[in-house]
Amino acid sequence: MDDVKFGEILLPGDEDTQSRREKTVRQKFWPTFRRAVRQVPFSRDVVAGFYCALDPQTPTKVRGVLLAALAYFVMPVDMIPDIFALVGFSDDIAVLSAAFAMVRGNIRPSHYEAADRVLADGPEEAMKTI
C-alpha cells in the first residue's frame, strides 16, 4: 500500500461519516480484535486507540482518523482478506500504524489504562460494557 492509499483511508470524514464509522467500530471491534490479537504486535495501542476514538474529549479530527483506521480494521472487505493467516492483517496493521503515527500525542494515559484493564480481563468483558 502506498502513501496515497493511506491518505484516502485515513481521511477523518464529516460528522455523518464519523457517526457511521463509530457505530461500525463499536459493533465489530471486539470480535475482530479477538481474531487478530495474536497477529497485531501492538495490541495495547490498538485498544488504547479504540478508547481514544470513543472519547468525546478527543479532538474531532483525531477521532476521525482513528475511526477511519479502526473501521478499516473491522471491515470484512479490505486489501488482503483477514482469513489468510499471518498475512491477512498486514494491511490493517499498516493502516493502524499510520494512524497512530499521526495521532500518537492524543492517546492519553487514561486510554492506555483502559486498554490495560480490558487486556487483563479479556475482550469478552469489554464487549459486555459497549
Side-chain angles (χ1 to χ4, degrees):
M1 294 180 53
D2 58 18
D3 291 336
V4 174
K5 190 65 175 172
F6 284 144
E8 293 171 11
I9 292 169
L10 295 176
L11 287 174
D14 60 17
E15 281 188 40
D16 290 338
T17 301
Q18 285 189 23
S19 293
R20 281 192 314 277
R21 287 176 177 164
E22 182 174 343
K23 182 179 177 184
T24 299
V25 168
R26 283 182 183 273
Q27 291 174 345
K28 298 181 180 181
F29 179 79
W30 293 113
T32 303
F33 180 78
R34 189 175 30 232
R35 285 192 320 273
V37 70
R38 289 191 180 108
Q39 297 174 36
V40 177
F42 48 93
S43 295
R44 181 176 184 246
D45 291 316
V46 173
V47 177
F50 171 79
Y51 285 114
C52 183
L54 300 182
D55 184 345
Q57 295 178 345
T58 299
T60 302
K61 188 172 181 176
V62 172
R63 284 183 49 138
V65 168
L66 287 170
L67 287 170
L70 292 168
Y72 185 84
F73 174 64
V74 302
M75 296 307 293
V77 178
D78 55 24
M79 298 294 256
I80 302 171
D82 297 336
I83 58 171
F84 295 118
L86 302 175
V87 179
F89 285 102
S90 62
D91 60 323
D92 302 277
I93 291 169
V95 169
L96 290 166
S97 294
F100 293 144
M102 293 170 67
V103 303
R104 181 152 315 275
N106 291 279
I107 301 177
R108 296 192 322 261
S110 61
H111 301 137
Y112 280 105
E113 290 165 7
D116 290 341
R117 280 192 303 276
V118 77
L119 290 172
D121 294 341
E124 295 79 18
E125 290 301 313
M127 288 175 64
K128 294 176 185 176
T129 63
I130 300 235

